[in-house]
Amino acid sequence: EVRLVESGGGLIQPGGSLRLSCAASGFTVSSNYMVWVRQAPGEGLEWVSGIHSGGATYYIDSVQGRFTISRDNRKNTLYLQMNSLRAEDTAVYYCARVVSWLPRDWGQGTLVTVSS
Amino acid sequence: QSVLTQPPSVSGTPGQRVTISCSGSSSNIGSNSVGWYQQLPGTAPKLLIYSDNQRPSGVPDRFSGSKSGTSASLAISGLQSEDESDYCCAAWDDSLNGPVFGGGTKLTVL
């Protein structure tokens, strides 16, 4: 059974840093395209970052240079390092496995609140 | 401002058929397949449709998808009260190298 479990969210002041983790089971993270998708309160879904099985990484413009996606193959875990956090980064962050060019398997999400 | 455009809300009565539209561009819907998600409050999205019109196992055949050009639609027939939820479309975007989403449509079953 495919399972994704996010952790690492919380309340952080503007300018601070957080690292989100996404522990996977039932499949191999490094063999799949993995993404982070966020959802601000009352808003729609927004793709944030992705990492190809080959290692190439991609970001939306608003987080480029501040966020870094990575993976630990031994731990079968996906990460999102978030630096210089802003109020507009407040959202529930989901990790997901992409199958047939769409996120198919999702974690339960972890809430990141950026506020002073 | 979501990349894909959906109506904010639709409604129907039990047993009716409703459709939800999704409009995009040549870099996403126009060149890649479309998916649809159902999202209940406080939960992660659940994939309902992929590859324009395919249903994952366990999704009732009351849900169907279609695509034409840079637009797509989700149809729900035989509407049931448990279908009341938010629905969101998605497609891969070649210019972003990632998926893009609609803003979501709230379905109300009257």
Side-chain angles (χ1 to χ4, degrees):
Chain A
E1 180 194 2
V2 170
R3 191 164 184 238
L4 295 162
V5 179
E6 300 97 336
S7 60
L11 174 63
I12 188 76
Q13 291 189 338
S17 298
L18 276 179
R19 187 178 82 155
L20 306 184
S21 300
C22 172
S25 57
F27 73 99
T28 302
V29 165
S30 61
S31 298
N32 287 267
Y33 193 103
M34 300 294 296
V35 296
W36 286 97
V37 175
R38 67 186 178 185
Q39 187 169 33
E43 302 294 326
L45 299 166
E46 179 183 44
W47 171 74
V48 174
S49 179
I51 182 166
H52 191 270
S53 55
T57 58
Y58 305 94
Y59 304 90
I60 55 170
D61 287 347
S62 61
V63 308
Q64 182 77 48
R66 299 189 298 124
F67 291 10
T68 303
I69 190 171
S70 63
R71 64 192 182 204
D72 184 324
N73 296 345
R74 287 188 305 125
K75 294 183 178 180
N76 207 34
T77 297
L78 180 73
Y79 300 99
L80 186 68
Q81 177 68 43
M82 304 187 297
N83 299 329
S84 303
L85 282 161
R86 306 167 180 168
E88 54 264 36
D89 296 318
T90 293
V92 174
Y93 284 73
Y94 297 99
C95 66
R97 177 175 75 139
V98 172
V99 177
S100 298
W101 302 104
L102 287 171
R104 174 169 298 215
D105 306 299
W106 298 67
Q108 85 287 353
T110 186
L111 176 62
V112 172
T113 303
V114 184
S115 174
S116 54
Chain B
Q1 201 83 348
S2 298
V3 176
L4 305 181
T5 301
Q6 297 179 234
S9 63
V10 297
S11 63
T13 57
Q16 263 191 332
R17 180 178 186 271
V18 297
T19 61
I20 299 172
S21 62
C22 175
S23 177
S25 68
S26 58
S27 65
N28 41 68
I29 294 178
S31 52
N32 295 294
S33 61
V34 176
W36 290 90
Y37 298 90
Q38 180 188 55
Q39 188 176 24
L40 296 168
T43 69
K46 170 192 172 185
L47 187 66
L48 283 179
I49 297 289
Y50 67 97
S51 296
D52 299 338
N53 55 20
Q54 302 299 301
R55 288 184 304 276
S57 61
V59 175
D61 59 7
R62 300 187 297 105
F63 294 89
S64 62
S66 63
K67 187 182 89 170
S68 178
T70 58
S71 296
S73 292
L74 173 71
I76 308 172
S77 60
L79 204 57
Q80 300 179 3
S81 58
E82 56 261 40
D83 297 333
E84 190 162 285
S85 182
D86 288 327
Y87 294 86
C88 174
C89 58
W92 191 263
D93 192 291
D94 292 333
S95 61
L96 295 176
N97 282 297
V100 290
F101 299 91
T105 297
K106 181 174 180 56
L107 170 62
T108 301
V109 181
L110 302 171

